[in-house]
Amino acid sequence: MMRTHENSDDTDHSFLDQCDELLPPLFPQVDYRGAKHAPPEQEYEEVKRYRSLFNNSLEGIFFTTPDGRYLDVNPTLARIYGFSTPEQLIRHFKDIKHQLYVRPERRDEFISILERDKRIIGFESQVRKRNGEIIWISENARPVYNPSGGISYYEGTVMDITARKEAEEELELQRAFFSQLFDNSPQAIVIIDTKRNVVNCNQGFERLFGYRAVDIIGFGMRALIVPEGLMVECENVRNTILSGETVQCETQRRHRNGSMIPVDMIGFPIQVGSSTSGIIYIYEDISERKSFEEQITHQAFHDSLTGLPNRTLFGERLERALERSHRRPELYYSVLMIDLNKFKAVNDSLGHPAGDQLLIEVGQRLSVCVRSVDTVARLGGDEFALILEEFPARKELLKIARRMHSILCEPFSLYGNEITPGASIGIVAQLNEYTSAEEVLRDADIAMYRAKQQGKGIVLFDKRMHLELVESINLEAELRETINNGALTLHYQPIVAVDTEQLLGFEALVRWDHPMRGMVPPDRFIPLAEETGLIIDLGKWVISEACHTLKVWQDDQDHARRLTMSVNVSCRQLADAGLVEHVTAVLRKENLAPANLKIEVTESVIMHDVDSAISELNRLRELGVQIAIDDFGTGYSSLAYLRRIPIDHLKIDRSFIRDFSEGNKENDQIVRSIISLARSLGLGVIAEGVENRDQLDRLRSLNCDRAQGFMFSRPVDRTKAATMIRQYAASQVS
């Protein structure tokens, strides 16, 4: 219903009465006047139809007063102006002239035209919506007079023509552009009539193709600049344009002197009404761009150092090789992943220029091993990959792989130095079982990594390798969670005096009792922790837990105060800047004497970075912590380094004790030598892996200090270890 004042009922009726003159022009199909004298039912239906037309019209409908207020509007006008309901719009606008129109004088012009012409059609203005957005509208309106001849109100319709105005502005801009484009553009522009004759061309056309406009106007252009081999293309383009479409393409055109010019061509029809009167062609010389694109394309798909295809191009070629392998499963399509074994050492010792030269020569050596249909690529760093296609048998692939491995194991001459880096090669022998290049590269990389781990040189991938890798990834995630949750435990193996068999201490050994896998062997998860860096947090926990346990034993039993606790430390832990600080903090927290803690490191850990390792071990010794070399005899440390290392004990590796007997002279001599070396350096000796009395007696005869092994006890939990301490103490008393 229409609303003008607070007293809506009276106002509605009075305003509807004024609509007698309004309705016939707007809705001629409704005899609203007649509705006054029609039966109530008919009057109701006619009013209902009027209301339906008013409310559902696709155009905005308004009734406004001469002084600039809205009497009523339909929902469409409310939506056009950004209001949810007509009532919101009516309440908002108190002064149409200043609130609605961007240029208030347009309201005055609107009224002036209405007073003069008694109507207004297509009156266009810019107005503000509720949110401040400016739109274009077109209004049709007429005044409605009262019985005394004065204007009672204005009635009219509104359409949002913003999109049309924007299109008109764009069209006007295009017209201005094209009017100047022809004369001033550096691009070549030619106008052709429907009979293929030149109507006109600009100076850009003359410069590009070498023809003067006065010489070619009125003649066919196709015979002048279109190469013979592109006549069909030219005709197809022409027909497409004449059908009303714009065509843009890259092609070639011929200069007057016969040379070929790569061009970017745009052709569009000249429309006059509904018919096509001609065609405009615009040509741009793209010779430089084409040359640059070729360079960019080559750079994008090739390694800048070696000139070989890079990972992107290799991936594309591998996808195509996969498709071919599916079509021809009887042939071998294979991928080889190659990694140099000593590339980092070359970079570190001879410098990056030498490393770059090595990569270049590796690429050259690999390239001579393959055919033109094969692909050699550098994926990054010292990693190369090859696609070998259409081999009839696996033995041919292996022959090529062995040849590659052989030539990569031959010396390279780099800046006066002969380097033999060696290589590890992983092979995926057949591609037709794969669906994506990523899967192939993944498995080739797994095989290559396995070759590097095992030192085999060449490894063929099989599915078990992938399963093992997935298992390792899952185990890593579970280990990380276990460490974070503190779900690991420590077991303790006693260390005793060889001569008296008195308990001297324990070695703390980490154990993982997995809820699903059961007891996970240390040699399964410790290397994984080392590889992933989890060993840092794991090692800190072991030191803290072992020291805390020893302190608990000491508080409970006086006899435990002289015991030592041995803890293994890896190379990553020793390289970690916070190791010494962590040990210091733990000893202080537990109020534990530093001499009660013994840090065990292997020879390989120390030799990984000798200077850094010695520095950290010296810091530990300054605290009063004891140092032992674990698994001694299996590494490669020299006497010179051994003298520099601040150590207290050598631990003889269990492999020498296992076969240690009267009959094994070789092991007997090794053990004798280690004990003799320790004595000359003033060090104690601990023998690992003692399992029987005969081994213990032999060690006693050689004057070995300490021993540990299953003969005395397997590693036990904290409670059993405490019981063991009591038992040893009781045996000493008795």
Side-chain angles (χ1 to χ4, degrees):
M1 293 295 290
M2 302 178 185
R3 291 176 174 80
T4 57
H5 302 288
E6 288 77 359
N7 189 352
S8 58
D9 292 340
D10 294 341
T11 306
D12 285 348
H13 288 300
S14 61
F15 188 70
L16 288 174
D17 288 343
Q18 297 179 47
C19 289
D20 290 344
E21 298 180 12
L22 164 68
L23 292 175
L26 287 179
F27 308 104
Q29 69 275 30
V30 180
D31 185 3
Y32 189 76
R33 293 177 184 277
K36 289 185 177 182
H37 310 292
E41 297 81 1
Q42 182 179 348
E43 179 179 352
Y44 173 77
E45 288 300 324
E46 290 176 347
V47 170
K48 183 178 178 182
R49 285 195 298 272
Y50 157 69
R51 274 301 175 192
S52 177
L53 289 169
F54 180 79
N55 289 330
N56 300 314
S57 172
L58 298 178
E59 296 184 4
I61 302 176
F62 65 83
F63 302 96
T64 62
T65 63
D67 62 353
R69 290 179 296 104
Y70 281 105
L71 295 172
D72 203 0
V73 299
N74 70 344
T76 299
L77 187 64
R79 285 193 296 271
I80 291 174
Y81 289 165
F83 294 88
S84 301
T85 64
E87 288 77 9
Q88 286 183 351
L89 185 149
I90 294 170
R91 286 195 299 270
H92 177 79
F93 286 106
K94 305 302 182 184
D95 182 355
I96 293 175
K97 175 178 178 179
H98 295 95
Q99 287 181 270
L100 180 64
Y101 289 93
V102 174
R103 293 176 51 229
E105 59 268 24
R106 288 296 285 168
R107 176 68 177 178
D108 298 331
E109 296 169 9
F110 175 85
I111 294 173
S112 176
I113 294 172
L114 283 175
E115 291 177 348
R116 184 189 68 212
D117 299 337
K118 310 305 182 191
R119 67 175 185 172
I120 191 167
I121 297 175
F123 186 79
E124 298 179 357
S125 306
Q126 284 183 296
V127 299
R128 292 186 183 87
K129 295 176 65 173
R130 182 183 188 183
N131 61 5
E133 179 187 351
I134 296 176
I135 62 173
W136 279 92
I137 62 170
S138 175
E139 298 179 88
N140 298 329
R142 75 180 185 91
V144 177
Y145 298 92
N146 56 34
S148 61
I151 295 176
S152 177
Y153 55 88
Y154 302 122
E155 64 180 18
T157 61
V158 171
M159 289 186 65
D160 184 347
I161 60 169
T162 304
R164 193 194 80 196
K165 294 296 288 186
E166 290 175 350
E168 289 176 353
E169 291 175 1
E170 181 64 23
L171 181 60
E172 187 64 29
L173 180 63
Q174 291 181 3
R175 287 173 179 168
F177 171 75
F178 283 112
S179 66
Q180 299 178 47
L181 176 65
F182 188 81
D183 293 327
N184 304 323
S185 175
Q187 296 173 313
I189 304 175
V190 61
I191 302 174
I192 307 296
D193 63 21
T194 56
K195 297 180 180 180
R196 299 187 179 86
N197 296 321
V198 176
V199 175
N200 202 355
C201 65
N202 69 348
Q203 294 180 4
F205 187 92
E206 293 178 334
R207 288 191 298 269
L208 182 58
F209 296 113
Y211 293 99
R212 295 190 308 167
V214 295
D215 295 331
I216 63 174
I217 290 176
F219 293 91
M221 182 189 68
R222 186 173 63 172
L224 299 177
I225 68 170
V226 179
E228 187 67 30
L230 296 177
M231 287 294 182
V232 174
E233 175 201 84
C234 177
E235 191 64 18
N236 291 336
V237 168
R238 177 178 179 274
N239 292 334
T240 301
I241 296 172
L242 290 177
S243 69
E245 295 185 31
T246 296
V247 174
Q248 180 173 3
C249 64
E250 291 185 3
T251 185
Q252 288 187 319
R253 290 294 181 260
R254 186 175 57 231
H255 191 272
R256 186 174 186 176
N257 62 15
S259 63
M260 303 301 293
I261 306 171
V263 294
D264 185 3
M265 183 187 75
I266 299 176
F268 55 89
I270 302 172
Q271 299 282 0
V272 178
S274 59
S275 62
T276 299
S277 299
I279 299 174
I280 295 179
Y281 289 105
I282 303 175
Y283 298 97
E284 180 181 3
D285 184 355
I286 58 173
S287 301
E288 290 186 7
R289 194 185 85 194
K290 279 296 183 182
S291 176
F292 182 68
E293 284 178 356
E294 290 176 2
Q295 296 177 22
I296 293 298
T297 299
H298 187 273
Q299 293 173 7
F301 292 101
H302 290 80
D303 174 47
S304 59
L305 178 64
T306 64
L308 297 173
N310 60 12
R311 182 179 292 272
T312 301
L313 181 55
F314 183 84
E316 292 182 2
R317 291 186 179 178
L318 181 53
E319 290 287 359
R320 293 196 291 270
L322 276 174
E323 295 173 3
R324 290 192 290 273
S325 72
H326 294 153
R327 293 195 299 268
R328 306 191 67 184
E330 73 280 4
L331 296 176
Y332 279 88
Y333 290 76
S334 303
V335 167
L336 282 66
M337 189 78 72
I338 301 176
D339 187 82
L340 302 182
N341 294 338
K342 300 177 183 177
F343 180 68
K344 184 177 185 300
V346 173
N347 268 342
D348 292 344
S349 60
L350 301 181
H352 288 280
D356 290 345
Q357 186 60 39
L358 174 61
L359 294 174
I360 293 171
E361 293 190 22
V362 166
Q364 292 171 348
R365 290 191 184 186
L366 292 175
S367 297
V368 301
C369 293
V370 300
R371 306 156 300 169
S372 59
V373 296
D374 301 323
T375 297
V376 179
R378 180 188 174 211
L379 303 188
D382 61 335
E383 194 172 68
F384 293 80
L386 294 90
I387 305 172
L388 305 180
E389 304 193 33
E390 298 185 359
F391 279 86
R394 176 179 290 193
K395 64 180 181 180
E396 296 295 327
L397 299 174
L398 295 177
K399 182 178 179 181
I400 293 293
R402 292 190 186 101
R403 182 183 175 195
M404 290 179 181
H405 187 262
S406 176
I407 67 169
L408 294 179
C409 289
E410 294 176 1
F412 291 79
S413 180
L414 303 173
Y415 296 91
N417 299 278
E418 281 205 349
I419 302 297
T420 306
S424 300
I425 302 178
I427 304 175
V428 172
Q430 183 59 287
L431 304 185
N432 57 18
E433 297 179 357
Y434 290 87
T435 58
S436 72
E438 289 77 11
E439 293 176 350
V440 178
L441 288 173
R442 176 201 66 197
D443 290 349
D445 193 62
I446 292 172
M448 183 270 292
Y449 184 73
R450 182 67 60 89
K452 184 178 287 289
Q453 269 187 326
Q454 299 177 351
K456 289 186 176 181
I458 300 174
V459 169
L460 283 170
F461 175 82
D462 65 54
K463 293 181 179 179
R464 287 175 300 177
M465 295 179 186
H466 181 238
L467 295 176
E468 290 171 3
L469 179 62
V470 172
E471 172 71 9
S472 178
I473 292 172
N474 292 335
L475 193 65
E476 177 192 343
E478 294 168 359
L479 177 59
R480 189 181 301 276
E481 183 178 358
T482 300
I483 293 174
N484 292 336
N485 295 338
L488 295 171
T489 59
L490 288 183
H491 282 198
Y492 304 90
Q493 186 171 39
I495 300 174
V496 303
V498 171
D499 54 353
T500 65
E501 299 184 32
Q502 179 185 359
L503 180 64
L504 301 178
F506 290 89
E507 180 179 0
L509 301 168
V510 65
R511 293 292 183 263
W512 182 10
D513 190 1
H514 194 283
M516 302 297 293
R517 304 172 188 267
M519 193 64 71
V520 181
D523 60 1
R524 179 76 178 91
F525 70 86
I526 294 296
L528 180 62
E530 182 77 23
E531 179 183 344
T532 59
L534 292 174
I535 196 68
I536 300 298
D537 292 334
L538 175 58
K540 288 181 178 179
W541 175 82
V542 170
I543 292 172
S544 300
E545 181 67 15
C547 289
H548 175 70
T549 299
L550 180 57
K551 181 59 177 175
V552 170
W553 293 339
Q554 289 181 351
D555 291 342
D556 187 51
Q557 305 180 57
D558 288 339
H559 185 73
R561 295 187 181 279
R562 62 180 179 78
L563 299 180
T564 61
M565 181 65 74
S566 298
V567 177
N568 291 283
V569 169
S570 73
C571 59
R572 283 211 176 190
Q573 289 175 268
L574 198 59
D576 180 46
L579 175 63
V580 178
E581 286 70 22
H582 178 70
V583 170
T584 303
V586 170
L587 293 174
R588 184 180 296 114
K589 177 184 176 183
E590 301 295 344
N591 193 24
L592 193 67
N596 288 135
L597 178 62
K598 187 181 296 180
I599 296 297
E600 296 187 2
V601 293
T602 64
E603 293 174 273
S604 59
V605 167
I606 296 174
M607 298 307 294
H608 181 75
D609 187 345
V610 175
D611 292 336
S612 176
I614 291 176
S615 174
E616 291 301 294
L617 292 176
N618 274 321
R619 293 179 65 200
L620 289 169
R621 278 291 298 276
E622 289 171 2
L623 290 177
V625 173
Q626 298 187 62
I627 309 295
I629 300 295
D630 197 11
D631 300 336
F632 188 78
T634 61
Y636 47 84
S637 60
S638 67
L639 284 177
Y641 283 126
L642 203 57
R643 287 183 175 277
R644 293 177 54 197
I645 301 171
I647 54 179
D648 301 283
H649 302 276
L650 297 180
K651 293 190 74 172
I652 304 174
D653 186 69
R654 68 183 66 247
S655 62
F656 301 121
I657 304 300
R658 185 184 305 117
D659 299 322
F660 182 50
S661 66
E662 286 282 1
N664 193 323
K665 294 183 178 180
E666 182 179 351
N667 274 11
D668 183 80
Q669 188 59 45
I670 291 174
V671 173
R672 286 176 180 272
S673 298
I674 293 175
I675 294 174
S676 176
L677 174 64
R679 291 290 173 261
S680 67
L681 295 174
L683 305 176
V685 182
I686 306 170
E688 293 185 288
V690 178
E691 298 184 355
N692 55 60
R693 176 62 61 178
D694 182 58
Q695 292 171 342
L696 182 63
D697 290 342
R698 292 288 297 158
L699 289 170
R700 186 179 292 121
S701 69
L702 295 176
N703 199 26
C704 181
D705 299 312
R706 306 180 183 202
Q708 68 182 99
F710 290 171
M711 173 183 172
F712 309 105
S713 173
R714 292 179 179 273
V716 295
D717 61 25
R718 173 175 168 175
T719 302
K720 291 181 180 178
T723 301
M724 190 179 297
I725 296 172
R726 292 190 183 91
Q727 292 172 346
Y728 269 97
S731 67
Q732 294 298 314
V733 172
S734 62

